Amino acid sequence: MSQSIPTPDGLPVLGNALAVGRDPFSYIEAATREHGPVFRVSIPGLSFVCYADPELVERALVTERDRYRKDPRELDLLGTLLGDGLLTARGESWERGREQVQPAFYPGRLREYANVMVAETERTVDGWHAGEHVDIHAEARDLTLSIVASTMFGIERVDETAVVARAADAITGRFEPSRIPVDVPLWVPTPANRRFERAVGDLEAVIDRVLERRAGEAGGRSETDDPDLLSTLRSAAEAGALTEQDVRDQLVTMLLAGHETTAIALTYALALLATHPDEQERVLDEVREVDGDLSPDTSLPHTDRVVRETLRLYPPAYMLFRQTTTADTVAGYEVPEGTRIVLPQWGIHRDDRYYDDPLEFRPDRWTAELRAELPDFAYFPFGGGPRQCIGRRFALLELRLALATVLRSVRLEATSSTEFAPTPALTARPEGPVWLRVRR
Ligand code: HEM
């Protein structure tokens, strides 16, 4: 006989709603610790089951993945903007898309992108002056957007950065937990919906301009160049394998998925280094040791540990959403068909069963022993299974090169106004500007 799934809090409905709405991060963290491995969160209009255990995460993403699919509600909301792009596509359309996009992430391509990553970061840092306070989140967003635009679409610069940034805000904002219980349908003309619609319209116009520009440069790229993602998709469209709309969907997806999460990770990494000057010094020593020579092969073990630790403590994708396609029994509990499932990176990455002093930023914890001992899904900032992040290696390379390039030129200091608490939207982005002082 299976038991019914526990709901934390004596007064489940109201208790959960208040706690989840006020601070979902602390709620998930505490509930994972106190009520794992499986518990239910019920708030008016929404109920889901949380798998707060690495083995169960692996079950949903890998071993029993046929019983789970991406949550259709999430796909529908995101799909308004991303259409049939890779992040939101289902079934055959996803399989085809993944195959078409994959070559843009082959290791040989990543090596070519490394130069762009370093050059764009240099350009960003050159704009900072000694003593200046910079909003590192805004800077990181512009930077990661230029990198993805330049590497994937072969365009030197998206002057329309602000439009993409606004669309990213509009779409991630639609996922704030405060909105979840009364999820207003998109067609109701609330001010937020009107903002969202406008942002989507502007973004589509930008993408069309990019496409037109490239069509106008026909032959601009030499025949011997490896085709970039945009050329690959356009050739597929010319051969009739894709519609113009498919091309647009993949482009919007890459622009958004490729810059938003990486910008958040870079922001937290720099803010954590600014608040841990000894760690910043160690990254700097490492960069000095290689004489500032930054390529994909440069060995930067401590920088890599900083990136790894940042993604543990502040995973930009802080929970994944799934739904059971058929009933499953997990940890002795019956989970019916159609149940919404949450896989909480935020809770598991901060659980002291896997990490000592889990709230401490401590890159040195990442020893070979820890990595060998850790259950596979005690660390999953990029998800797992077939729908694992396609940009994982891209993002890791970008983060290590960007950190090293920034610290090659400047030191960053926290000030009394430095704040970087996350806000719960689709991603765990910092709530407001993240001010750091530049020293040269
Ligand atoms: C630190 C940076 C990043 C993080 C934390 C991150 C995280 C994730 C996660 C957790 C997923 C899986 C979602 C799920 O299973 O529900 C995902 C999927 C995806 N990511 Fe990333 N990502 C990052 C960077 C990137 C970059 C740089 C790109 C592209 C250039 C990218 C493109 C995508 C795409 C297209 C998918 C959908 C893959 C599919 O469903 O086949 N991501 N990402």
PDB file of all heavy atoms in Angstrom, residues 110 117 262 265-266 296 300 303-311 371 379 381-382 388-404:
ATOM      1  N   LEU A 110      33.360  25.468 -30.431  1.00  0.00           N
ATOM      2  CA  LEU A 110      33.560  26.161 -29.156  1.00  0.00           C
ATOM      3  C   LEU A 110      34.946  26.794 -29.116  1.00  0.00           C
ATOM      4  O   LEU A 110      35.124  27.898 -28.606  1.00  0.00           O
ATOM      5  CB  LEU A 110      33.393  25.195 -27.979  1.00  0.00           C
ATOM      6  CG  LEU A 110      31.978  24.658 -27.748  1.00  0.00           C
ATOM      7  CD1 LEU A 110      31.927  23.821 -26.486  1.00  0.00           C
ATOM      8  CD2 LEU A 110      30.967  25.782 -27.640  1.00  0.00           C
ATOM      9  N   MET A 117      34.716  35.369 -27.035  1.00  0.00           N
ATOM     10  CA  MET A 117      34.363  35.518 -25.614  1.00  0.00           C
ATOM     11  C   MET A 117      35.367  36.440 -24.915  1.00  0.00           C
ATOM     12  O   MET A 117      34.989  37.342 -24.165  1.00  0.00           O
ATOM     13  CB  MET A 117      34.324  34.145 -24.932  1.00  0.00           C
ATOM     14  CG  MET A 117      33.174  33.270 -25.425  1.00  0.00           C
ATOM     15  SD  MET A 117      33.311  31.552 -24.877  1.00  0.00           S
ATOM     16  CE  MET A 117      31.764  30.863 -25.512  1.00  0.00           C
ATOM     17  N   THR A 262      23.458  32.697 -18.378  1.00  0.00           N
ATOM     18  CA  THR A 262      24.904  32.886 -18.263  1.00  0.00           C
ATOM     19  C   THR A 262      25.211  34.234 -17.621  1.00  0.00           C
ATOM     20  O   THR A 262      26.145  34.356 -16.828  1.00  0.00           O
ATOM     21  CB  THR A 262      25.570  32.801 -19.664  1.00  0.00           C
ATOM     22  OG1 THR A 262      24.917  31.766 -20.394  1.00  0.00           O
ATOM     23  CG2 THR A 262      27.025  32.458 -19.558  1.00  0.00           C
ATOM     24  N   ALA A 265      24.777  33.845 -13.929  1.00  0.00           N
ATOM     25  CA  ALA A 265      25.898  33.111 -13.321  1.00  0.00           C
ATOM     26  C   ALA A 265      27.131  34.009 -13.215  1.00  0.00           C
ATOM     27  O   ALA A 265      27.818  34.035 -12.188  1.00  0.00           O
ATOM     28  CB  ALA A 265      26.211  31.866 -14.148  1.00  0.00           C
ATOM     29  N   LEU A 266      27.400  34.782 -14.269  1.00  0.00           N
ATOM     30  CA  LEU A 266      28.572  35.659 -14.255  1.00  0.00           C
ATOM     31  C   LEU A 266      28.415  36.739 -13.177  1.00  0.00           C
ATOM     32  O   LEU A 266      29.371  37.083 -12.466  1.00  0.00           O
ATOM     33  CB  LEU A 266      28.748  36.288 -15.645  1.00  0.00           C
ATOM     34  CG  LEU A 266      29.962  37.169 -15.856  1.00  0.00           C
ATOM     35  CD1 LEU A 266      31.261  36.400 -15.558  1.00  0.00           C
ATOM     36  CD2 LEU A 266      30.007  37.701 -17.296  1.00  0.00           C
ATOM     37  N   PRO A 296      41.015  28.160 -24.839  1.00  0.00           N
ATOM     38  CA  PRO A 296      40.243  27.065 -24.240  1.00  0.00           C
ATOM     39  C   PRO A 296      41.145  26.068 -23.505  1.00  0.00           C
ATOM     40  O   PRO A 296      40.695  25.377 -22.596  1.00  0.00           O
ATOM     41  CB  PRO A 296      39.590  26.386 -25.450  1.00  0.00           C
ATOM     42  CG  PRO A 296      39.621  27.391 -26.534  1.00  0.00           C
ATOM     43  CD  PRO A 296      40.798  28.282 -26.275  1.00  0.00           C
ATOM     44  N   LEU A 300      43.042  26.612 -15.757  1.00  0.00           N
ATOM     45  CA  LEU A 300      42.613  27.577 -14.736  1.00  0.00           C
ATOM     46  C   LEU A 300      41.792  26.831 -13.678  1.00  0.00           C
ATOM     47  O   LEU A 300      40.583  27.075 -13.523  1.00  0.00           O
ATOM     48  CB  LEU A 300      41.758  28.674 -15.375  1.00  0.00           C
ATOM     49  CG  LEU A 300      42.421  29.580 -16.417  1.00  0.00           C
ATOM     50  CD1 LEU A 300      41.375  30.417 -17.151  1.00  0.00           C
ATOM     51  CD2 LEU A 300      43.459  30.492 -15.752  1.00  0.00           C
ATOM     52  N   THR A 303      39.757  28.955 -11.100  1.00  0.00           N
ATOM     53  CA  THR A 303      38.648  29.663 -11.752  1.00  0.00           C
ATOM     54  C   THR A 303      37.508  28.671 -12.024  1.00  0.00           C
ATOM     55  O   THR A 303      36.335  28.980 -11.814  1.00  0.00           O
ATOM     56  CB  THR A 303      39.147  30.288 -13.078  1.00  0.00           C
ATOM     57  OG1 THR A 303      40.366  30.973 -12.817  1.00  0.00           O
ATOM     58  CG2 THR A 303      38.132  31.246 -13.657  1.00  0.00           C
ATOM     59  N   ASP A 304      37.867  27.482 -12.466  1.00  0.00           N
ATOM     60  CA  ASP A 304      36.825  26.473 -12.726  1.00  0.00           C
ATOM     61  C   ASP A 304      36.078  26.100 -11.443  1.00  0.00           C
ATOM     62  O   ASP A 304      34.867  25.896 -11.454  1.00  0.00           O
ATOM     63  CB  ASP A 304      37.447  25.212 -13.350  1.00  0.00           C
ATOM     64  CG  ASP A 304      37.906  25.469 -14.784  1.00  0.00           C
ATOM     65  OD1 ASP A 304      37.388  26.404 -15.424  1.00  0.00           O
ATOM     66  OD2 ASP A 304      38.797  24.739 -15.269  1.00  0.00           O
ATOM     67  N   ARG A 305      36.834  26.036 -10.329  1.00  0.00           N
ATOM     68  CA  ARG A 305      36.156  25.715  -9.063  1.00  0.00           C
ATOM     69  C   ARG A 305      35.215  26.852  -8.643  1.00  0.00           C
ATOM     70  O   ARG A 305      34.141  26.610  -8.108  1.00  0.00           O
ATOM     71  CB  ARG A 305      37.188  25.452  -7.949  1.00  0.00           C
ATOM     72  CG  ARG A 305      37.854  24.079  -8.062  1.00  0.00           C
ATOM     73  CD  ARG A 305      38.633  23.743  -6.789  1.00  0.00           C
ATOM     74  NE  ARG A 305      39.836  24.548  -6.641  1.00  0.00           N
ATOM     75  CZ  ARG A 305      41.028  24.217  -7.139  1.00  0.00           C
ATOM     76  NH1 ARG A 305      41.179  23.079  -7.804  1.00  0.00           N
ATOM     77  NH2 ARG A 305      42.062  25.004  -6.964  1.00  0.00           N
ATOM     78  N   VAL A 306      35.640  28.086  -8.924  1.00  0.00           N
ATOM     79  CA  VAL A 306      34.772  29.241  -8.599  1.00  0.00           C
ATOM     80  C   VAL A 306      33.465  29.153  -9.407  1.00  0.00           C
ATOM     81  O   VAL A 306      32.373  29.353  -8.874  1.00  0.00           O
ATOM     82  CB  VAL A 306      35.514  30.569  -8.885  1.00  0.00           C
ATOM     83  CG1 VAL A 306      34.556  31.758  -8.919  1.00  0.00           C
ATOM     84  CG2 VAL A 306      36.606  30.795  -7.846  1.00  0.00           C
ATOM     85  N   VAL A 307      33.586  28.808 -10.682  1.00  0.00           N
ATOM     86  CA  VAL A 307      32.391  28.697 -11.528  1.00  0.00           C
ATOM     87  C   VAL A 307      31.479  27.579 -10.994  1.00  0.00           C
ATOM     88  O   VAL A 307      30.263  27.758 -10.832  1.00  0.00           O
ATOM     89  CB  VAL A 307      32.798  28.405 -12.991  1.00  0.00           C
ATOM     90  CG1 VAL A 307      31.585  28.028 -13.830  1.00  0.00           C
ATOM     91  CG2 VAL A 307      33.519  29.616 -13.595  1.00  0.00           C
ATOM     92  N   ARG A 308      32.083  26.455 -10.693  1.00  0.00           N
ATOM     93  CA  ARG A 308      31.319  25.296 -10.205  1.00  0.00           C
ATOM     94  C   ARG A 308      30.576  25.626  -8.902  1.00  0.00           C
ATOM     95  O   ARG A 308      29.403  25.311  -8.729  1.00  0.00           O
ATOM     96  CB  ARG A 308      32.324  24.161  -9.986  1.00  0.00           C
ATOM     97  CG  ARG A 308      31.738  22.850  -9.666  1.00  0.00           C
ATOM     98  CD  ARG A 308      32.799  21.760  -9.780  1.00  0.00           C
ATOM     99  NE  ARG A 308      32.674  21.086 -11.050  1.00  0.00           N
ATOM    100  CZ  ARG A 308      31.829  20.088 -11.260  1.00  0.00           C
ATOM    101  NH1 ARG A 308      31.060  19.657 -10.301  1.00  0.00           N
ATOM    102  NH2 ARG A 308      31.741  19.521 -12.428  1.00  0.00           N
ATOM    103  N   GLU A 309      31.314  26.299  -8.013  1.00  0.00           N
ATOM    104  CA  GLU A 309      30.733  26.631  -6.703  1.00  0.00           C
ATOM    105  C   GLU A 309      29.626  27.691  -6.843  1.00  0.00           C
ATOM    106  O   GLU A 309      28.610  27.641  -6.149  1.00  0.00           O
ATOM    107  CB  GLU A 309      31.855  27.109  -5.765  1.00  0.00           C
ATOM    108  CG  GLU A 309      31.419  27.532  -4.373  1.00  0.00           C
ATOM    109  CD  GLU A 309      30.940  26.386  -3.463  1.00  0.00           C
ATOM    110  OE1 GLU A 309      30.658  25.279  -3.968  1.00  0.00           O
ATOM    111  OE2 GLU A 309      30.825  26.623  -2.257  1.00  0.00           O
ATOM    112  N   THR A 310      29.824  28.625  -7.763  1.00  0.00           N
ATOM    113  CA  THR A 310      28.788  29.641  -7.994  1.00  0.00           C
ATOM    114  C   THR A 310      27.500  28.974  -8.479  1.00  0.00           C
ATOM    115  O   THR A 310      26.405  29.287  -8.015  1.00  0.00           O
ATOM    116  CB  THR A 310      29.261  30.666  -9.049  1.00  0.00           C
ATOM    117  OG1 THR A 310      30.473  31.267  -8.594  1.00  0.00           O
ATOM    118  CG2 THR A 310      28.222  31.740  -9.289  1.00  0.00           C
ATOM    119  N   LEU A 311      27.644  28.039  -9.419  1.00  0.00           N
ATOM    120  CA  LEU A 311      26.456  27.378  -9.971  1.00  0.00           C
ATOM    121  C   LEU A 311      25.800  26.435  -8.962  1.00  0.00           C
ATOM    122  O   LEU A 311      24.650  26.058  -9.099  1.00  0.00           O
ATOM    123  CB  LEU A 311      26.814  26.615 -11.251  1.00  0.00           C
ATOM    124  CG  LEU A 311      27.199  27.490 -12.442  1.00  0.00           C
ATOM    125  CD1 LEU A 311      27.744  26.627 -13.586  1.00  0.00           C
ATOM    126  CD2 LEU A 311      26.000  28.293 -12.940  1.00  0.00           C
ATOM    127  N   ARG A 371      33.881  15.082  -5.686  1.00  0.00           N
ATOM    128  CA  ARG A 371      33.242  14.812  -6.981  1.00  0.00           C
ATOM    129  C   ARG A 371      32.983  13.324  -7.167  1.00  0.00           C
ATOM    130  O   ARG A 371      31.995  12.925  -7.774  1.00  0.00           O
ATOM    131  CB  ARG A 371      34.093  15.374  -8.106  1.00  0.00           C
ATOM    132  CG  ARG A 371      34.100  16.895  -8.045  1.00  0.00           C
ATOM    133  CD  ARG A 371      34.961  17.523  -9.088  1.00  0.00           C
ATOM    134  NE  ARG A 371      34.444  17.292 -10.429  1.00  0.00           N
ATOM    135  CZ  ARG A 371      34.827  17.964 -11.490  1.00  0.00           C
ATOM    136  NH1 ARG A 371      35.724  18.901 -11.365  1.00  0.00           N
ATOM    137  NH2 ARG A 371      34.327  17.698 -12.666  1.00  0.00           N
ATOM    138  N   TYR A 379      24.123  17.604  -7.932  1.00  0.00           N
ATOM    139  CA  TYR A 379      24.590  18.826  -8.589  1.00  0.00           C
ATOM    140  C   TYR A 379      24.084  18.776 -10.023  1.00  0.00           C
ATOM    141  O   TYR A 379      24.517  17.940 -10.808  1.00  0.00           O
ATOM    142  CB  TYR A 379      26.125  18.856  -8.551  1.00  0.00           C
ATOM    143  CG  TYR A 379      26.741  20.109  -9.124  1.00  0.00           C
ATOM    144  CD1 TYR A 379      26.755  21.283  -8.388  1.00  0.00           C
ATOM    145  CD2 TYR A 379      27.311  20.112 -10.396  1.00  0.00           C
ATOM    146  CE1 TYR A 379      27.321  22.441  -8.914  1.00  0.00           C
ATOM    147  CE2 TYR A 379      27.872  21.267 -10.925  1.00  0.00           C
ATOM    148  CZ  TYR A 379      27.877  22.432 -10.176  1.00  0.00           C
ATOM    149  OH  TYR A 379      28.432  23.570 -10.689  1.00  0.00           O
ATOM    150  N   PRO A 381      23.104  21.891 -12.242  1.00  0.00           N
ATOM    151  CA  PRO A 381      22.727  23.233 -12.701  1.00  0.00           C
ATOM    152  C   PRO A 381      22.260  23.272 -14.153  1.00  0.00           C
ATOM    153  O   PRO A 381      21.552  24.194 -14.551  1.00  0.00           O
ATOM    154  CB  PRO A 381      24.023  24.043 -12.536  1.00  0.00           C
ATOM    155  CG  PRO A 381      25.116  23.037 -12.481  1.00  0.00           C
ATOM    156  CD  PRO A 381      24.524  21.800 -11.888  1.00  0.00           C
ATOM    157  N   PHE A 382      22.660  22.265 -14.943  1.00  0.00           N
ATOM    158  CA  PHE A 382      22.269  22.256 -16.355  1.00  0.00           C
ATOM    159  C   PHE A 382      21.215  21.186 -16.651  1.00  0.00           C
ATOM    160  O   PHE A 382      21.004  20.818 -17.804  1.00  0.00           O
ATOM    161  CB  PHE A 382      23.501  22.030 -17.230  1.00  0.00           C
ATOM    162  CG  PHE A 382      24.507  23.154 -17.148  1.00  0.00           C
ATOM    163  CD1 PHE A 382      25.633  23.048 -16.341  1.00  0.00           C
ATOM    164  CD2 PHE A 382      24.314  24.325 -17.862  1.00  0.00           C
ATOM    165  CE1 PHE A 382      26.559  24.085 -16.246  1.00  0.00           C
ATOM    166  CE2 PHE A 382      25.235  25.372 -17.782  1.00  0.00           C
ATOM    167  CZ  PHE A 382      26.354  25.249 -16.977  1.00  0.00           C
ATOM    168  N   GLN A 388      19.003  17.881 -21.338  1.00  0.00           N
ATOM    169  CA  GLN A 388      20.039  18.657 -20.657  1.00  0.00           C
ATOM    170  C   GLN A 388      20.404  19.881 -21.506  1.00  0.00           C
ATOM    171  O   GLN A 388      20.296  19.843 -22.738  1.00  0.00           O
ATOM    172  CB  GLN A 388      21.279  17.781 -20.480  1.00  0.00           C
ATOM    173  CG  GLN A 388      22.320  18.455 -19.595  1.00  0.00           C
ATOM    174  CD  GLN A 388      23.625  17.681 -19.569  1.00  0.00           C
ATOM    175  OE1 GLN A 388      24.051  17.122 -20.584  1.00  0.00           O
ATOM    176  NE2 GLN A 388      24.264  17.655 -18.429  1.00  0.00           N
ATOM    177  N   CYS A 389      20.867  20.916 -20.834  1.00  0.00           N
ATOM    178  CA  CYS A 389      21.231  22.153 -21.519  1.00  0.00           C
ATOM    179  C   CYS A 389      22.205  21.890 -22.667  1.00  0.00           C
ATOM    180  O   CYS A 389      23.280  21.343 -22.458  1.00  0.00           O
ATOM    181  CB  CYS A 389      21.877  23.114 -20.523  1.00  0.00           C
ATOM    182  SG  CYS A 389      22.415  24.639 -21.290  1.00  0.00           S
ATOM    183  N   ILE A 390      21.827  22.310 -23.853  1.00  0.00           N
ATOM    184  CA  ILE A 390      22.698  22.112 -25.021  1.00  0.00           C
ATOM    185  C   ILE A 390      23.888  23.073 -24.957  1.00  0.00           C
ATOM    186  O   ILE A 390      24.928  22.840 -25.565  1.00  0.00           O
ATOM    187  CB  ILE A 390      21.897  22.296 -26.329  1.00  0.00           C
ATOM    188  CG1 ILE A 390      22.615  21.647 -27.502  1.00  0.00           C
ATOM    189  CG2 ILE A 390      21.620  23.771 -26.609  1.00  0.00           C
ATOM    190  CD1 ILE A 390      21.785  21.565 -28.762  1.00  0.00           C
ATOM    191  N   GLY A 391      23.736  24.154 -24.181  1.00  0.00           N
ATOM    192  CA  GLY A 391      24.786  25.176 -24.116  1.00  0.00           C
ATOM    193  C   GLY A 391      25.726  24.995 -22.929  1.00  0.00           C
ATOM    194  O   GLY A 391      26.489  25.911 -22.604  1.00  0.00           O
ATOM    195  N   ARG A 392      25.713  23.817 -22.282  1.00  0.00           N
ATOM    196  CA  ARG A 392      26.496  23.632 -21.054  1.00  0.00           C
ATOM    197  C   ARG A 392      27.988  23.951 -21.261  1.00  0.00           C
ATOM    198  O   ARG A 392      28.568  24.762 -20.551  1.00  0.00           O
ATOM    199  CB  ARG A 392      26.332  22.188 -20.561  1.00  0.00           C
ATOM    200  CG  ARG A 392      26.956  21.947 -19.212  1.00  0.00           C
ATOM    201  CD  ARG A 392      26.666  20.555 -18.725  1.00  0.00           C
ATOM    202  NE  ARG A 392      27.505  19.589 -19.333  1.00  0.00           N
ATOM    203  CZ  ARG A 392      28.729  19.223 -18.986  1.00  0.00           C
ATOM    204  NH1 ARG A 392      29.234  19.611 -18.076  1.00  0.00           N
ATOM    205  NH2 ARG A 392      29.482  18.390 -19.590  1.00  0.00           N
ATOM    206  N   ARG A 393      28.596  23.322 -22.241  1.00  0.00           N
ATOM    207  CA  ARG A 393      30.039  23.559 -22.444  1.00  0.00           C
ATOM    208  C   ARG A 393      30.311  24.998 -22.866  1.00  0.00           C
ATOM    209  O   ARG A 393      31.306  25.603 -22.498  1.00  0.00           O
ATOM    210  CB  ARG A 393      30.583  22.625 -23.521  1.00  0.00           C
ATOM    211  CG  ARG A 393      30.793  21.237 -23.032  1.00  0.00           C
ATOM    212  CD  ARG A 393      31.118  20.312 -24.197  1.00  0.00           C
ATOM    213  NE  ARG A 393      30.903  18.945 -23.816  1.00  0.00           N
ATOM    214  CZ  ARG A 393      31.733  18.245 -23.059  1.00  0.00           C
ATOM    215  NH1 ARG A 393      32.851  18.790 -22.625  1.00  0.00           N
ATOM    216  NH2 ARG A 393      31.475  17.007 -22.725  1.00  0.00           N
ATOM    217  N   PHE A 394      29.430  25.519 -23.688  1.00  0.00           N
ATOM    218  CA  PHE A 394      29.526  26.911 -24.140  1.00  0.00           C
ATOM    219  C   PHE A 394      29.546  27.823 -22.914  1.00  0.00           C
ATOM    220  O   PHE A 394      30.413  28.692 -22.759  1.00  0.00           O
ATOM    221  CB  PHE A 394      28.316  27.211 -25.036  1.00  0.00           C
ATOM    222  CG  PHE A 394      28.285  28.575 -25.655  1.00  0.00           C
ATOM    223  CD1 PHE A 394      28.500  28.749 -27.015  1.00  0.00           C
ATOM    224  CD2 PHE A 394      28.009  29.701 -24.893  1.00  0.00           C
ATOM    225  CE1 PHE A 394      28.447  30.004 -27.605  1.00  0.00           C
ATOM    226  CE2 PHE A 394      27.953  30.964 -25.457  1.00  0.00           C
ATOM    227  CZ  PHE A 394      28.166  31.109 -26.811  1.00  0.00           C
ATOM    228  N   ALA A 395      28.585  27.592 -22.003  1.00  0.00           N
ATOM    229  CA  ALA A 395      28.450  28.465 -20.832  1.00  0.00           C
ATOM    230  C   ALA A 395      29.665  28.321 -19.912  1.00  0.00           C
ATOM    231  O   ALA A 395      30.184  29.328 -19.402  1.00  0.00           O
ATOM    232  CB  ALA A 395      27.170  28.119 -20.074  1.00  0.00           C
ATOM    233  N   LEU A 396      30.143  27.093 -19.721  1.00  0.00           N
ATOM    234  CA  LEU A 396      31.275  26.904 -18.809  1.00  0.00           C
ATOM    235  C   LEU A 396      32.530  27.570 -19.363  1.00  0.00           C
ATOM    236  O   LEU A 396      33.310  28.185 -18.633  1.00  0.00           O
ATOM    237  CB  LEU A 396      31.515  25.408 -18.560  1.00  0.00           C
ATOM    238  CG  LEU A 396      30.418  24.713 -17.742  1.00  0.00           C
ATOM    239  CD1 LEU A 396      30.663  23.206 -17.658  1.00  0.00           C
ATOM    240  CD2 LEU A 396      30.329  25.313 -16.332  1.00  0.00           C
ATOM    241  N   LEU A 397      32.701  27.455 -20.680  1.00  0.00           N
ATOM    242  CA  LEU A 397      33.860  28.096 -21.313  1.00  0.00           C
ATOM    243  C   LEU A 397      33.746  29.617 -21.193  1.00  0.00           C
ATOM    244  O   LEU A 397      34.692  30.324 -20.825  1.00  0.00           O
ATOM    245  CB  LEU A 397      33.914  27.669 -22.789  1.00  0.00           C
ATOM    246  CG  LEU A 397      35.069  28.226 -23.611  1.00  0.00           C
ATOM    247  CD1 LEU A 397      36.403  27.695 -23.083  1.00  0.00           C
ATOM    248  CD2 LEU A 397      34.921  27.852 -25.095  1.00  0.00           C
ATOM    249  N   GLU A 398      32.560  30.110 -21.485  1.00  0.00           N
ATOM    250  CA  GLU A 398      32.341  31.557 -21.435  1.00  0.00           C
ATOM    251  C   GLU A 398      32.588  32.092 -20.020  1.00  0.00           C
ATOM    252  O   GLU A 398      33.237  33.129 -19.842  1.00  0.00           O
ATOM    253  CB  GLU A 398      30.898  31.851 -21.875  1.00  0.00           C
ATOM    254  CG  GLU A 398      30.546  33.318 -21.866  1.00  0.00           C
ATOM    255  CD  GLU A 398      29.143  33.578 -22.412  1.00  0.00           C
ATOM    256  OE1 GLU A 398      28.475  32.628 -22.869  1.00  0.00           O
ATOM    257  OE2 GLU A 398      28.718  34.740 -22.379  1.00  0.00           O
ATOM    258  N   LEU A 399      32.087  31.383 -19.018  1.00  0.00           N
ATOM    259  CA  LEU A 399      32.216  31.874 -17.649  1.00  0.00           C
ATOM    260  C   LEU A 399      33.683  31.902 -17.219  1.00  0.00           C
ATOM    261  O   LEU A 399      34.155  32.873 -16.640  1.00  0.00           O
ATOM    262  CB  LEU A 399      31.391  30.996 -16.695  1.00  0.00           C
ATOM    263  CG  LEU A 399      29.873  31.185 -16.828  1.00  0.00           C
ATOM    264  CD1 LEU A 399      29.117  30.096 -16.073  1.00  0.00           C
ATOM    265  CD2 LEU A 399      29.466  32.573 -16.319  1.00  0.00           C
ATOM    266  N   ARG A 400      34.441  30.834 -17.510  1.00  0.00           N
ATOM    267  CA  ARG A 400      35.847  30.822 -17.073  1.00  0.00           C
ATOM    268  C   ARG A 400      36.644  31.904 -17.810  1.00  0.00           C
ATOM    269  O   ARG A 400      37.454  32.612 -17.214  1.00  0.00           O
ATOM    270  CB  ARG A 400      36.482  29.437 -17.232  1.00  0.00           C
ATOM    271  CG  ARG A 400      36.908  29.101 -18.657  1.00  0.00           C
ATOM    272  CD  ARG A 400      37.155  27.630 -18.830  1.00  0.00           C
ATOM    273  NE  ARG A 400      38.227  27.124 -18.004  1.00  0.00           N
ATOM    274  CZ  ARG A 400      39.458  26.857 -18.442  1.00  0.00           C
ATOM    275  NH1 ARG A 400      39.777  27.120 -19.700  1.00  0.00           N
ATOM    276  NH2 ARG A 400      40.350  26.349 -17.653  1.00  0.00           N
ATOM    277  N   LEU A 401      36.386  32.051 -19.121  1.00  0.00           N
ATOM    278  CA  LEU A 401      37.150  33.045 -19.877  1.00  0.00           C
ATOM    279  C   LEU A 401      36.750  34.465 -19.479  1.00  0.00           C
ATOM    280  O   LEU A 401      37.598  35.353 -19.376  1.00  0.00           O
ATOM    281  CB  LEU A 401      36.968  32.836 -21.379  1.00  0.00           C
ATOM    282  CG  LEU A 401      37.614  31.567 -21.949  1.00  0.00           C
ATOM    283  CD1 LEU A 401      37.310  31.427 -23.431  1.00  0.00           C
ATOM    284  CD2 LEU A 401      39.126  31.548 -21.714  1.00  0.00           C
ATOM    285  N   ALA A 402      35.466  34.668 -19.241  1.00  0.00           N
ATOM    286  CA  ALA A 402      35.021  36.022 -18.859  1.00  0.00           C
ATOM    287  C   ALA A 402      35.589  36.398 -17.484  1.00  0.00           C
ATOM    288  O   ALA A 402      36.103  37.509 -17.304  1.00  0.00           O
ATOM    289  CB  ALA A 402      33.500  36.102 -18.862  1.00  0.00           C
ATOM    290  N   LEU A 403      35.535  35.478 -16.532  1.00  0.00           N
ATOM    291  CA  LEU A 403      36.084  35.787 -15.198  1.00  0.00           C
ATOM    292  C   LEU A 403      37.563  36.120 -15.294  1.00  0.00           C
ATOM    293  O   LEU A 403      38.040  37.118 -14.739  1.00  0.00           O
ATOM    294  CB  LEU A 403      35.917  34.582 -14.258  1.00  0.00           C
ATOM    295  CG  LEU A 403      34.542  34.329 -13.681  1.00  0.00           C
ATOM    296  CD1 LEU A 403      34.582  33.145 -12.720  1.00  0.00           C
ATOM    297  CD2 LEU A 403      34.051  35.574 -12.942  1.00  0.00           C
ATOM    298  N   ALA A 404      38.306  35.271 -16.013  1.00  0.00           N
ATOM    299  CA  ALA A 404      39.749  35.481 -16.114  1.00  0.00           C
ATOM    300  C   ALA A 404      40.049  36.801 -16.842  1.00  0.00           C
ATOM    301  O   ALA A 404      40.944  37.545 -16.446  1.00  0.00           O
ATOM    302  CB  ALA A 404      40.394  34.305 -16.835  1.00  0.00           C
TER     303      ALA A 404
END
